[in-house]
Amino acid sequence: MKATQKYDHGSVEAKWQKVWAQKDLYKTPSSPKNKKYILDMFPYPSGATMHVGHLEGYIGTDVMSRYLRMKGYSVLHPMGWDAFGLPAENYAIKTGIHPDKSTHENIKIFKRQLASSGLSYDWSKEIDTSDPDFYRWTQWLFLLMYKKGLAYKKKAPVNWCPKDETVLANEQVIDGKCERCDTPVIQKELDQWFLKITAYADRLISGLKDIDWPEDVKLQQINWIGKSKGMIIMFKAEDGKVIEVFTTRPDTLNSATFLAVSDNDLYEKYKDTDKKVGKFTGKYAVNPLDGRKLPIWKTNYVAPGYGTGAVMGVPSYDERDMEMAKKYDLDIVSNKPDMKLWELVEKKGWGKKHTTYHLRDWLISRQRYWGPPVPMIYCKDCGWQPVPEKDLPVKLPVDVDFLPHGVSPIATSKTFQKGVICPKCGKSAKREVDTMDTYVDSSWYFIRFADPKNSKEFASSKCIKQWLPVDIYVGGGHVVQHLLFARFFWKVIYDAGLIDKSLPDEPFLKLRAPGWILGPDSRKMSKRWGNVVTPDQIIPKFGADTLRLYEMFMGPFDIVKPWSISGIEGMHRFVSRLWNVFNTGQGNKNTPDKEVNILLHQTIQKVTQDIEKFHYNTAIASLMELVNAIKGKKASLEVLSSLAKLIAPFAPHLAEEVWVEILGNKTSIHTTSWPAFDADLIKKKYLDIVIQVNGKVRSQLQLDALASKNKEEVEKLAKSDEKAAKWLIDKKIKKVIYITGKVINFVV
């Protein structure tokens, strides 16, 4: 056994990262047995660096992946880049630097930071959504939906900046104004491409019941879909027109006092407030039940597109309606709800039963450059035609002007439309200049990871069957929309017969979301606050293993927690103690002493159970307890070997160093078997008996339950205990008080 007194994290971590890369240690098995697919929500490389909050989820999945490999599973643990998106394009507008260049410079930094953190990714599976080899298949999947009637084009309102003459994403609108020039944003109708996600609304709800997701995330999904069962009731207006109103409470028709109809201008202006704002139209409708005249009001709280765009105002039974009624002095009627009205409305022909959804079809058109072009061609004679599959990918042109000109930047390209003909009639035609929402890329990337180099199909059915669905998916952020869209894509591909029917109808079996790591000032990490902590600030000084251990020890995986420099310093001291445990020298190879042996097997059981539950903080706490128990002792080979294996998922570099250089093993610790615990040994009831002298604690004994019942034997062992005996020297024992199995007190 070789021993080095001081742990040099810099040289050790660099050494093993190089060895692991050279040996392809984390290469995914080509023929998996007992597979596990562990996936991160891949990063969007929009900034110049990652911060320690980004790493939390990645370290969490890495711990799980390393553990599962040692448990004998074939693991797919890939990483890639959600490379398209708006920030890179905004950066291009400000600096003139092409998004492709800035994005890939950031990717190099991100990849270096991930590698320096000791993350066990199979980099041969790396994907980049801005690579034509990837977005070719994004376009192919769009065409699949188009051919199945799930992709279509129609006019829809968009955020429009009149000064910059450009479409704005919702996140670019701040307090109703353009974030670039502070000009008030207006709504403008443009032709837009949609995906018909509403066709899958019911399956997107029912599929949630059999997957292991946090209940709050499931509820968010259900609320986003917003399925409501009710009735459409017809109200005749004074001008003879009929206003169709959707309601989930036809039993309160007898208390309706006004009609509230959606108004796009009011909705857009006040949608981010809690204010109820209305504008009287000057018109009335008639309540079919009793003939009362009901004023018709435009409001901000009826969303355009929800139901019929109109609801009946029933102040007595709806808080929003009550607020509206009080604000504008509208009638308030409080009749008892009548469930027979469901039947009466249908019988009289005033309405019919109806189910509506809050979910709208997914608008994927973006009048921006940095995204995959929509693979459609417009012919004056034939209309919209899909690009032939043989002509994919439709590549982004490089000769574009990123400055706003009222149209997509691609429209400024001179090469993009060159030689384009209609696939149907062969006449001159034009390509679509819109690009697709970046959410489209992230809605199927997890499938591509199973077969990322395939040039003939988006992924082979064999690879999909081998690795999908994802067993554990970890990440936060835009979980509601992203997860909904990804589940939608999976179901469409599933229905198209491209996924083996032996696989489930859901892509992510288990979902876990790490809580945010706040800055040292307990605010969200941001350049604005100057509180960002990056791995490049921590790893050189403290080491990747210290960073990994600290992030997993800060608190429960899924809660928000603040960064603490004293915390990272404390974990660095633990790493030193851990190193010293292995450097105290190996004792004999016999079974370790009873106390340590029991604690070892308890720790194996605890760490095993905690890792599988993502309870990483308590797993590390139990490892600390074990290290303290054996610190300074001549620990046996069994104890040291098991400790090295237990620490390996959390501190892979240190574990590898002691496994090979100190314990003398020839193969990597990360390819060995996870230690097993002796259940019978743990079940034996060993009791801790406190030894007191004149009521003061001086030591303790650990005895099995049977031995603890023998007072004479306990007294004999207590007197011979090294720590307690020195307090009894030259003392006359007046009395011995023994509380069976708990405490023995010598009165001297």
Side-chain angles (χ1 to χ4, degrees):
M1 175 173 55
K2 216 163 52 170
T4 305
Q5 290 308 309
K6 186 177 180 182
Y7 181 56
D8 182 357
H9 65 258
S11 62
V12 168
E13 291 175 356
K15 172 177 116 179
W16 288 115
Q17 287 168 15
K18 183 178 180 180
V19 170
W20 296 336
Q22 288 173 341
K23 292 186 175 181
D24 256 348
L25 193 69
Y26 309 118
K27 188 170 180 63
T28 309
S30 57
S31 300
K33 295 180 180 178
N34 211 12
K35 75 93 180 175
K36 288 290 183 182
Y37 183 178
I38 313 301
L39 181 66
D40 297 293
M41 289 185 187
F42 65 168
Y44 176 56
S46 61
T49 181
M50 286 183 154
H51 60 64
V52 292
H54 295 130
L55 278 178
E56 182 186 14
Y58 305 147
I59 295 171
T61 58
D62 192 65
V63 170
M64 184 64 70
S65 297
R66 290 180 179 277
Y67 163 76
L68 290 171
R69 290 190 193 101
M70 294 175 75
K71 288 286 284 185
Y73 290 94
S74 294
V75 175
L76 170 60
H77 186 40
M79 177 50 74
W81 314 103
D82 192 7
F84 277 135
L86 184 61
E89 188 165 345
N90 286 343
Y91 188 70
I93 293 170
K94 293 176 183 177
T95 65
I97 298 174
H98 196 284
D100 184 73
K101 182 178 180 181
S102 61
T103 297
H104 288 90
E105 285 177 351
N106 292 340
I107 284 175
K108 288 179 183 178
I109 297 171
F110 276 40
K111 190 171 180 179
R112 174 185 58 77
Q113 291 176 322
L114 293 176
S116 69
S117 302
L119 302 175
S120 60
Y121 294 121
D122 177 359
W123 287 107
S124 71
K125 298 283 188 180
E126 182 180 7
I127 60 175
D128 173 351
T129 61
S130 67
D131 186 331
D133 288 340
F134 179 88
Y135 70 72
R136 167 190 180 182
W137 299 109
T138 301
Q139 294 171 337
W140 186 90
L141 289 167
F142 173 89
L143 294 179
L144 173 70
M145 294 198 184
Y146 181 79
K147 292 167 186 175
K148 292 186 171 296
L150 296 172
Y152 64 93
K153 197 169 196 184
K154 72 171 184 178
K155 284 191 178 293
V158 295
N159 299 316
W160 182 262
C161 175
K163 182 179 179 181
D164 287 342
E165 293 186 297
T166 187
V167 173
L168 302 177
N170 287 335
E171 58 266 30
Q172 292 178 291
V173 181
I174 309 298
D175 295 328
K177 297 178 180 179
C178 174
E179 69 170 0
R180 294 172 183 159
C181 63
D182 214 33
T183 300
V185 172
I186 64 173
Q187 293 294 298
K188 182 176 181 179
E189 281 212 332
L190 292 178
D191 277 339
Q192 305 283 286
W193 287 100
F194 289 82
L195 298 182
K196 200 172 183 179
I197 191 173
T198 53
Y200 284 79
D202 286 332
R203 280 172 64 186
L204 288 169
I205 294 173
S206 62
L208 293 169
K209 68 179 184 299
D210 295 324
I211 52 180
D212 181 7
W213 287 20
E215 288 304 315
D216 64 319
V217 178
K218 288 186 178 183
L219 184 60
Q220 289 175 47
Q221 294 262 299
I222 291 170
N223 290 342
W224 190 274
I225 297 167
K227 182 177 182 179
S228 300
K229 292 183 177 181
M231 297 191 80
I232 289 178
I233 301 177
M234 274 78 80
F235 291 80
K236 287 185 179 179
E238 291 178 318
D239 58 7
K241 292 182 180 179
V242 174
I243 299 176
E244 293 187 344
V245 167
F246 174 76
T247 178
T248 59
R249 296 291 306 275
D251 54 307
T252 62
L253 178 61
N254 56 4
S255 296
T257 61
F258 66 95
L259 297 187
V261 298
S262 64
D263 180 83
N264 201 66
D265 290 338
L266 287 176
Y267 178 77
E268 290 297 329
K269 187 175 181 179
Y270 297 102
K271 66 181 178 181
D272 296 324
T273 73
D274 291 329
K275 295 179 181 178
K276 303 299 176 286
V277 181
K279 185 177 180 182
F280 181 44
T281 64
K283 298 178 181 179
Y284 293 83
V286 176
N287 189 326
L289 181 65
D290 52 24
R292 282 184 294 115
K293 292 174 64 176
L294 308 180
I296 303 171
W297 283 73
K298 293 180 180 180
T299 68
N300 69 314
Y301 68 90
V302 179
Y306 174 74
T308 61
V311 300
M312 62 183 193
V314 188
S316 296
Y317 297 100
D318 186 282
E319 290 182 9
R320 299 176 307 168
D321 295 343
M322 177 61 80
E323 185 178 339
M324 182 81 174
K326 287 181 177 180
K327 184 173 183 178
Y328 295 104
D329 197 25
L330 302 175
D331 289 344
I332 299 172
V333 175
S334 186
N335 291 321
K336 184 178 180 181
D338 184 357
M339 294 305 296
K340 292 178 182 182
L341 288 175
W342 283 83
E343 298 176 5
L344 184 64
V345 168
E346 274 198 307
K347 184 178 179 180
K348 294 286 189 180
W350 300 336
K352 58 185 177 181
K353 290 180 181 177
H354 183 73
T355 299
T356 191
Y357 300 86
H358 175 270
L359 181 67
R360 306 267 70 83
D361 280 344
W362 177 12
L363 191 162
I364 66 163
S365 283
R366 297 294 180 267
Q367 289 72 42
R368 302 196 291 265
Y369 171 75
W370 194 231
V374 176
M376 298 294 290
I377 292 172
Y378 183 74
C379 172
K380 290 181 180 179
D381 296 329
C382 306
W384 285 106
Q385 298 295 317
V387 171
E389 289 182 18
K390 66 179 179 62
D391 293 337
L392 297 179
V394 177
K395 293 185 179 180
L396 278 169
V398 295
D399 58 330
V400 294
D401 180 357
F402 297 111
L403 293 176
H405 294 288
V407 291
S408 167
I410 296 178
T412 66
S413 168
K414 295 180 180 179
T415 62
F416 192 63
Q417 303 292 359
K418 190 175 180 179
V420 179
I421 61 172
C422 173
K424 187 173 182 180
C425 71
K427 294 180 182 178
S428 179
K430 287 189 175 183
R431 295 190 188 281
E432 171 63 85
V433 294
D434 283 0
T435 54
M436 287 187 257
D437 179 10
T438 186
Y439 274 125
V440 177
D441 302 311
S442 59
S443 292
W444 77 277
Y445 79 106
F446 57 94
I447 305 175
R448 184 66 174 174
F449 270 137
D451 195 13
K453 308 303 180 186
N454 195 326
S455 61
K456 295 182 179 179
E457 51 191 333
F458 73 102
S460 72
S461 56
K462 176 185 176 183
C463 290
I464 294 174
K465 187 175 181 180
Q466 281 181 329
W467 290 109
L468 275 295
V470 175
D471 294 282
I472 302 176
Y473 195 21
V474 173
H478 305 291
V479 293
V480 179
Q481 289 173 286
H482 160 62
L483 292 171
L484 205 63
F485 297 154
R487 295 175 62 221
F488 163 57
F489 259 69
W490 176 264
K491 292 176 190 298
V492 170
I493 297 169
Y494 190 92
D495 289 352
L498 300 172
I499 295 173
D500 193 282
K501 289 299 186 284
S502 65
L503 300 183
D505 191 30
E506 288 289 330
F508 313 123
L509 300 184
K510 178 183 286 189
L511 177 74
R512 293 295 181 266
W516 278 354
I517 292 181
L518 304 178
D521 56 359
S522 295
R523 292 189 289 188
K524 185 179 179 181
M525 286 193 186
S526 168
K527 290 180 181 178
R528 176 185 178 186
W529 305 120
N531 62 354
V532 174
V533 181
T534 74
D536 291 343
Q537 294 171 275
I538 301 300
I539 292 175
K541 184 175 181 180
F542 297 104
D545 285 345
T546 294
L547 176 61
R548 292 167 61 99
L549 283 161
Y550 175 61
E551 290 214 19
M552 296 299 97
F553 184 65
M554 292 174 75
F557 188 68
D558 58 348
I559 71 164
V560 176
K561 39 219 174 250
W563 182 266
S564 165
I565 190 62
S566 61
I568 196 80
E569 290 169 345
M571 187 56 72
H572 192 238
R573 290 191 293 271
F574 169 69
V575 169
S576 295
R577 290 198 303 274
L578 179 62
W579 175 251
N580 290 335
V581 162
F582 292 100
N583 271 286
T584 55
Q586 174 190 326
N588 61 55
K589 296 185 179 181
N590 296 328
T591 303
D593 66 74
K594 185 165 57 179
E595 180 182 346
V596 171
N597 195 37
I598 293 168
L599 182 58
L600 170 65
H601 285 264
Q602 288 174 335
T603 305
I604 294 171
Q605 182 187 44
K606 174 72 171 163
V607 173
T608 300
Q609 293 173 345
D610 283 353
I611 286 179
E612 293 183 353
K613 295 176 182 177
F614 277 84
H615 294 172
Y616 295 145
N617 59 321
T618 52
I620 294 170
S622 65
L623 287 168
M624 290 176 169
E625 184 181 351
L626 178 61
V627 168
N628 288 336
I630 62 179
K631 185 173 62 176
K633 296 182 179 179
K634 291 283 186 179
S636 72
L637 179 62
E638 179 190 348
V639 171
L640 293 179
S641 295
S642 296
L643 176 59
K645 290 181 179 182
L646 292 174
I647 206 75
F650 301 98
H653 309 90
L654 184 148
E656 190 79 294
E657 180 74 4
V658 300
W659 183 254
V660 175
E661 303 296 351
I662 295 180
L663 300 180
N665 294 287
K666 302 299 182 184
T667 58
S668 171
I669 194 171
H670 303 296
T671 61
T672 59
S673 298
W674 186 253
F677 59 87
D678 185 337
D680 292 333
L681 180 65
I682 294 173
K683 286 178 182 176
K684 291 181 181 177
K685 294 183 179 179
Y686 289 94
L687 304 177
D688 292 326
I689 300 172
V690 175
I691 304 173
Q692 295 179 342
V693 177
N694 285 349
K696 292 185 178 181
V697 176
R698 299 305 183 186
S699 188
Q700 70 175 24
L701 296 171
Q702 189 177 68
L703 300 174
D704 62 47
L706 184 62
S708 69
K709 294 179 180 179
N710 188 327
K711 181 184 176 183
E712 289 74 19
E713 182 65 16
V714 172
E715 183 175 337
K716 180 181 176 181
L717 291 170
K719 287 178 179 177
S720 62
D721 180 85
E722 184 178 350
K723 292 181 181 178
K726 65 182 180 181
W727 297 97
L728 299 175
I729 296 174
D730 299 326
K731 298 289 193 306
K732 181 179 179 181
I733 298 174
K734 296 181 179 179
K735 191 176 183 182
V736 178
I737 302 171
Y738 179 53
I739 301 175
T740 304
K742 294 183 178 179
V743 62
I744 184 167
N745 182 27
F746 295 96
V747 180
V748 297

